[in-house]
Amino acid sequence: MAESEVTPVDGVAVEINGVEVIAHKGELLIDAAERTGTYIPRFCYHERMKPVGMCRMCLVEVDTGRGPALQPSCMIECTPGMKADTESAVTKKAQDGILEFLLANHPLDCPVCDKGGECPLQDQTMAYGPGESRFVEEKRHKEKPIPISDLVLLDRERCILCDRCTRFAKEVAGDPLIHFIHRGNNTEVNTFPDEPFASYFSGNTVQICPVGALTASTYRFKARPWDLETTESTCQTCSVGCRISIDSSRDQVQRFAGVDIDPVNWGWLCDKGRFSSQVVTSDARLSEPLVRDGSGLVAAKWSDALGRFASALDNASSAQSIGVIGGSRLTNEDAYAWSKLFKGVLATDNVDAQLGDGLPAHVVLGLPSATIDEVCAPGGTVLLLGPDVKEELPVLFLRLRHAAVEDRVTIVEVSPRSSGITSLAAASVHPRPGETADVVAALVGSSVIDREIAGVSAEELEQARAALSASTGPITVVLGRASLAESASITVAAASAILNARPDTTFLSALRRSNVRGALDMGLAPGLLPGRVTLEDGAEWYSEVWPATPSATGLDTEGILRAAADGRIDVLVLLGADPLSDFPDADLAERGLTGARTVLAVDTALNSSSKRADVVLAAAGFAEKTGTTTNIEGRVSTLSHRVTPP
């Protein structure tokens, strides 16, 4: 039986166009109709935001027992015995009239509008509109376009005041930076004078705008929708794993758009992820390998570069003299291949996909895990013990914000300083650096708190403890490194204290890098083999299928750089890593790269570290190869090949 035919347990019977359907209790008529195969046109309605009934395009005849009347289907819930007619003459006349009014001042610039070809106003005018206008007066003209930020352009002539962008900014992102201004016939959408639309999520307003009033500066006049080839993939900007669509034309990536996947991103993207499409076509991309000669890095043949790469590894004095940093930007399949090369052929365990900003592999893979949906489950309690999620994992912030505002989720924050989510937290405490574990132990403990701990007053601690104690079920912890100046052992100690006090606690690891979870699964961590098997437990089995296995647990990134600085690393391999810019201890990174006898790099573009390499291999990047990736909750999703590497 199809999903739309399954009778909900709490369903109500309604009649739509003479056919009885079963709607969910509390379901809006517009949703029930679409779920059962009847599309009702709309502009302002969006399934991820509260309905407002602004555009009136969804007017249909509804009879709730007192006779038929026109009602906005996005504002009325299904009730037993309700009858709706979406095809009556009255309904069609109302929709026809709404479109005529919307087009009274809307410019007829479809041939040059970026929305043309995928425009709901265009489509619905063809399907439900009058065909011609009775208005002969001159349309209004306004300056166009207005850059309301570096990324978003506003064309006020096209705006139909549907309230989508303003609702998203206020309700979803919590950044009410764009709103209605003026009154009556002069009402328009805009930002506060001289203030940019400085939201981390501004690109979503471009995607949900139904008329092309908001356009992206990076895509403007670049391609037409019918010229685009589209493939679904997974964003690799951070580790949340948002589903996206990749649109390309003429073998070039033109834009990314969010895809609504219920367990993860709900169709939203952060601007870092959405506009990272520009990286794929950057002029800085490497198109050929480079080798170092007397004058610096020069282009070389692939055979020569690969030969020097292999010779450097082959000439290393021992397996322990090879160090590998990076790998979190790889696909799972690539991560396994590199893991097998270094651990199964060269027998080195000095491999680490994390650059000193993550958690030990045994903690990430060994703690009881929670999904994003479980963290944001209505009525739950979340202990946020990690980085500023708005900065590091922006779409996870949107999910947590919705959970706190709409679903009664209690958030308790333990962080060295205020963050983007502090205003949403029921309690927020800021311990002194290095003493987070003491505060967490007090919060989950049973002893009376009668003194200040780690710079946090007893009153603040009691407030936070009360918020946690009010939970009727298990708490979930978003666990990560809030301060890279602190050792990861402090975060581990805090997690241990939570588990000892509340064994039913589950954890969502707030790791920054895109596929770090997949890299750990594939063994790109010291003491770990592919399949989440420790070196001690899996060496015997792997020795039967691999040519070799490491003889002892190796070094992490910090250890590799220290060994290199001391002259104990013959070959340092950088797999899409830039320690000089990305490792917390810049001085150690500098000494490590200077001390390594040979530096080999594999990357899509030159960075501060790969510029110091002896051999640089050009790699295919995002949208240029197929594979899979694993997000912070352990969800494996696909990566798609859309364009040819340079």
Side-chain angles (χ1 to χ4, degrees), residues 234-242 264 328 372 392-396 508-518 629-635 637:
T234 306
C235 181
Q236 291 285 274
T237 306
C238 74
S239 56
V240 174
C242 301
V264 185
S328 62
I372 295 173
E392 304 289 351
L393 307 168
V395 174
L396 177 59
L508 179 67
S509 299
L511 303 174
R512 293 173 169 86
R513 302 179 188 278
S514 56
N515 193 29
V516 64
R517 181 70 180 263
T629 184
T630 307
N631 76 346
I632 50 175
E633 56 184 351
R635 184 181 304 277
S637 54

Side-chain angles (χ1 to χ4, degrees), residues 292-298:
R292 185 170 298 280
D293 65 7
S295 60
L297 288 172
V298 297

Side-chain angles (χ1 to χ4, degrees), residues 229-231 233 244-248 253 255-256 622-623 640 642:
E229 296 179 280
T230 302
T231 302
S233 190
I244 65 172
S245 62
I246 305 172
D247 291 333
S248 67
V253 171
R255 65 179 180 182
F256 295 156
F622 182 71
S640 298
R642 181 64 273 162

Side-chain angles (χ1 to χ4, degrees), residues 149-161:
S149 76
D150 292 338
L151 299 171
V152 180
L153 305 174
L154 171 63
D155 190 326
R156 293 170 295 171
E157 292 178 354
R158 297 174 184 165
C159 181
I160 60 171
L161 305 180

Side-chain angles (χ1 to χ4, degrees), residues 154 180 190 354 390 465 501 505 538 607 636:
L154 171 63
F180 292 125
N190 213 324
Q354 303 186 83
K390 188 173 184 179
R465 177 193 273 185
T505 301
N607 55 45
V636 178

